[in-house]
Amino acid sequence: MTTPRLPDQALAEPIDRVSRRWTFGVVLANVGVFAAWIGPIQVLLAQQADAIDPANKEFVFGLVTGVGAAISVVANPFFGAVSDLTTSRLGRRAPWVLAGAIGGVAGLLILAVSGSTAGMLLGWCLVQLFCNALLAAITAAVPDQVPTVQRGSVGGWVALAQTLGGLAGVGLATAFGGIRAGYIACAVFLLVSVLPYLRASGDRRLPSRPVVRLMDFVRGFWVSPRRYPDFGWAWLTRFLLNLGNALGTLYLFFYLQDAVGYGDPGTGVLILVAIYSVFVVLTAVWSGGWSDRIGRRKVFVTWAGVVMALGALVLAVWPTWSGAIAGAIVLGIGFGVYLSVDFALLTEVLPSARDRAKDLGVINIANSLPQVIAPAIAAPVVRVLGGYPVLYVLAAAVTLLGAVLVKKIKSVA
């Protein structure tokens, strides 16, 4: 690992542009953590639920993913706050990237040998706990070290990491011929993916640990929307857009199996994720760089949300394999723009340099909380309230509302 930068730089606003090597390390670590999440969510957990209890597969899958997402709601801001206070000689972020990867591997290996719902719960909760520690640290590294004028471009690459991680995770989950092998492959990839960042993190070290009383630490997780209204609106819009996305993608395996009638839904998910990923790649870095050049964020996020809503409507009205491909293309175009530019927008409304990881962890609740809520909404909709067409119309409506509310943010163009 490289020597951390001088302690007095830990809280300074970054000025120097980051190198391609540093960006590659951050991107690859993000690819690894999202592969560890999305491979199981899109394929392995659904297959495992079907193998353990085929009569109640939707309930088992929703229970495991919902409880795991509830863990992530707490874990991301908690570990973010702890990393903000970390005074390791390796810096504030690198120790938690390493610990998160090791713990995530342990959870994936437990899933690999599990043959019960309880075992699935234990393994997936460990994956969520430790991978959120990793994600909180690696996400905060961006505002720690990337200047504002470069965040759209770096955000585009980070957006690609989420998409490529999804593609890698689904590929690993399906390419090795079994649930156990898929989990082991995701675990190995997660551990390897963090090594380049750890070797060249340039992580900044605090000169001394701040004195924080327990109640102050707890109260610090509340960021007043009255005092920081733009932070509040940014949180709400991200929550709505991610809820729409979760409603639209959580049951994709079962959508292909039960609504489309695709013979091999696992392979079908892999194909759709690959198509979706191509269009995310085509839009993410390009739109992030364009946003940097013109100095505007909100218009990109608004139109991205509109396009994502259209993608969900395609799935609602055209439940065929051709319709699923068309929906994947439209969703990929919208989500690529959204991920890259919205991340840059969020880093510009953070209340405090000292609490970047904690505040980004609070923002990340807007990513994980929808994973808790979506199963509770989606399961009854699919079962008794109209099926997949109603589910995808609902996903489009929620996404569109989030896109409209982006305009409420005042401090960012």
Side-chain angles (χ1 to χ4, degrees):
M1 299 182 189
T2 59
T3 302
R5 299 182 184 183
L6 295 176
D8 60 3
Q9 294 182 339
L11 303 179
E13 187 66 23
I15 299 173
D16 298 331
R17 288 177 173 265
V18 294
S19 67
R20 292 181 179 178
R21 180 185 180 189
W22 185 91
T23 302
F24 173 77
V26 170
V27 169
L28 186 59
N30 274 276
V31 170
V33 76
F34 280 102
W37 272 329
I38 297 177
I41 286 175
Q42 293 287 4
V43 178
L44 296 174
L45 290 172
Q47 290 179 337
Q48 201 167 15
D50 195 17
I52 290 172
D53 190 353
N56 297 292
K57 60 187 180 183
E58 294 93 349
F59 171 78
V60 172
F61 179 72
L63 175 67
V64 171
T65 56
V67 173
I71 295 291
S72 72
V73 168
V74 177
N76 199 289
F78 173 79
F79 282 110
V82 172
S83 76
D84 284 333
L85 302 174
T86 297
T87 55
S88 165
R89 65 182 181 84
L90 302 176
R92 293 194 290 172
R93 315 305 182 194
W96 296 104
V97 172
L98 178 59
I102 293 171
V105 166
L108 288 166
L109 294 180
I110 290 172
L111 283 165
V113 299
S114 175
S116 67
T117 301
M120 287 180 66
L121 274 169
L122 174 61
W124 189 240
C125 286
L126 286 175
V127 171
Q128 288 283 23
L129 181 70
F130 285 101
C131 285
N132 269 284
L134 192 167
L135 185 65
I138 202 70
T139 301
V142 176
D144 280 351
Q145 301 195 49
V146 181
T148 300
V149 294
Q150 198 183 6
R151 285 183 194 167
S153 298
V154 173
W157 287 109
V158 172
L160 286 184
Q162 180 170 339
T163 302
L164 294 175
L167 180 59
V170 173
L172 291 168
T174 57
F176 286 88
I179 295 171
R180 177 176 296 183
Y183 280 127
I184 293 172
C186 288
V188 172
F189 184 70
L190 172 62
L191 189 60
V192 171
S193 72
V194 302
L195 297 180
Y197 172 77
L198 293 173
R199 289 179 59 86
S201 71
D203 202 358
R204 299 173 176 184
R205 180 182 179 183
L206 284 179
S208 61
R209 190 188 307 275
V211 178
V212 180
R213 291 190 294 268
L214 177 60
M215 289 309 299
D216 291 335
F217 181 80
V218 173
R219 282 194 294 265
F221 290 101
W222 172 251
V223 181
S224 171
R226 180 171 296 180
R227 186 177 179 185
Y228 302 105
D230 283 350
F231 184 89
W233 285 116
W235 190 97
L236 179 60
T237 57
R238 193 170 183 85
F239 170 79
L240 290 171
L241 285 161
N242 276 281
L243 178 59
N245 185 63
L247 290 170
T249 61
L250 186 64
Y251 281 2
L252 184 58
F253 181 93
F254 297 137
Y255 172 73
L256 292 179
Q257 184 179 63
D258 299 332
V260 176
Y262 196 78
D264 184 355
T267 301
V269 170
L270 176 60
I271 294 170
L272 293 181
V273 170
I275 293 170
Y276 163 91
S277 299
V278 168
F279 285 90
V280 171
V281 168
L282 291 174
T283 57
V285 174
W286 166 78
S287 59
W290 186 12
S291 175
D292 282 342
R293 287 193 297 273
I294 68 175
R296 299 185 68 186
R297 311 293 192 197
K298 292 190 295 185
V299 64
F300 289 89
V301 177
T302 296
W303 281 105
V306 171
V307 173
M308 290 163 61
L310 289 175
L313 289 176
V314 170
L315 296 176
V317 302
W318 196 6
T320 65
W321 179 239
S322 298
I325 292 174
I329 292 171
V330 177
L331 284 169
I333 292 171
F335 207 57
V337 177
Y338 165 71
L339 283 175
S340 60
V341 181
D342 189 59
F343 180 76
L345 184 154
L346 290 169
T347 65
E348 295 177 30
V349 298
L350 298 177
S352 169
R354 181 175 291 277
D355 299 323
R356 283 180 180 132
K358 183 267 294 179
D359 292 336
L360 283 168
V362 173
I363 285 286
N364 276 326
I365 293 175
N367 296 342
S368 52
L369 188 59
Q371 302 297 325
V372 181
I373 297 172
I377 297 172
V381 169
V382 170
R383 290 266 186 165
V384 298
L385 297 178
Y388 288 103
V390 174
L391 179 66
Y392 287 117
V393 168
L394 178 61
V398 171
T399 302
L400 193 59
L401 177 60
V404 170
L405 291 179
V406 171
K407 297 179 181 180
K408 293 285 188 179
I409 300 171
K410 302 299 183 184
S411 64
V412 179

